[in-house]
Amino acid sequence: MKTGVMILLLTGCTRKTEIHMDGLREESFLETEQERQMEEQTGVSSAIYVYICGAVQTPGVYELQDGMRVYEAVAAAGGFREDADTEWLNQAASVQDGQKLYVYTREETQALAADVSQIADGDRGFQDAENGKVDLNTASKELLMTLPGIGEARAEAILAYRSEHGRFTSIEEIQNISGIKAALFEKIREKIMVS
């Protein structure tokens, strides 16, 4: 009968070393002792779950740490596939609990760009003709920039949010975008819609 012996060495607050009969194994602590105590007191976990799919090596739901970025989420899914359009996503953006992160292929982004230009050039515009409102789910950068307080940077942020999170489900969701808070939302609330 074989019995194992394990010795646990704590070195600082960020690493632990386990010594087993079968060899040495080191693992990183993801939290400091203070974070663990805070989590126990508040009952709030720093773990989030993100569904990563599309042009990644291993699509699926991944447990990540709160505050992680898109590039870290993609790495958790094994990295980009060879056909992924790595410039379509803002890889520096933070991921959110429950988020679906879809990585488009280059072919898919070319098709999306073609669809957008056809709609922009066609009879149907991005603006609802009846009420003159800008549709957050279909508007181009140029049309978004017609809204008060929305310049080029904020318009690009809206497009990036839309590509990362999918369609807006309500006009209030625009407040999730950096730089668009309650005061600006009140200025544009009557000028926007979601389809």
Side-chain angles (χ1 to χ4, degrees):
M1 182 159 130
K2 192 175 182 182
T3 60
V5 176
M6 180 184 81
I7 301 170
L8 176 65
L9 300 173
L10 295 175
T11 55
C13 64
T14 59
R15 296 197 77 68
K16 71 177 180 181
T17 303
E18 291 181 4
I19 303 174
H20 294 266
M21 291 299 286
D22 60 343
L24 178 70
R25 196 166 55 218
E26 283 191 29
E27 297 179 11
S28 295
F29 277 122
L30 296 177
E31 324 173 286
T32 65
E33 183 61 32
Q34 288 175 333
E35 288 171 329
R36 274 195 298 279
Q37 288 173 356
M38 181 66 104
E39 185 177 311
E40 287 172 9
Q41 290 172 358
T42 62
V44 177
S45 173
S46 62
I48 62 171
Y49 295 88
V50 178
Y51 176 40
I52 307 162
C53 56
V56 291
Q57 298 295 333
T58 314
V61 175
Y62 289 88
E63 180 180 352
L64 304 172
Q65 292 300 306
D66 192 22
M68 290 184 93
R69 306 291 177 161
V70 169
Y71 78 92
E72 294 169 306
V74 170
F80 291 111
R81 283 193 335 223
E82 193 173 302
D83 61 339
D85 188 341
T86 60
E87 294 183 19
W88 187 263
L89 287 175
N90 175 2
Q91 294 185 48
S94 295
V95 293
Q96 312 274 327
D97 187 39
Q99 178 180 349
K100 176 182 178 183
L101 182 61
Y102 186 85
V103 178
Y104 289 95
T105 64
R106 285 183 293 279
E107 185 178 312
E108 288 172 322
T109 57
Q110 288 171 357
L112 287 170
D115 287 347
V116 167
S117 65
Q118 285 175 0
I119 292 170
D121 295 338
D123 293 337
R124 194 185 96 159
F126 291 102
Q127 195 165 12
D128 185 287
E130 255 180 59
N131 59 25
K133 292 186 177 184
V134 174
D135 188 335
L136 296 177
N137 288 323
T138 58
S140 65
K141 177 173 80 171
E142 291 75 20
L143 189 55
L144 289 167
M145 289 170 57
T146 65
L147 295 167
I150 305 293
E152 186 173 359
R154 285 188 179 140
E156 287 175 353
I158 292 168
L159 295 176
Y161 182 89
R162 193 168 73 195
S163 71
E164 290 171 24
H165 300 277
R167 299 179 72 79
F168 285 89
T169 56
S170 70
I171 62 171
E172 289 78 15
E173 191 177 348
I174 198 169
Q175 294 178 86
N176 293 340
I177 297 168
S178 177
I180 301 178
K181 298 301 170 213
L184 179 54
F185 175 69
E186 288 305 317
K187 286 182 184 177
I188 63 174
R189 135 180 254 135
E190 299 301 319
K191 300 179 184 322
I192 58 176
M193 61 172 279
V194 293
S195 57

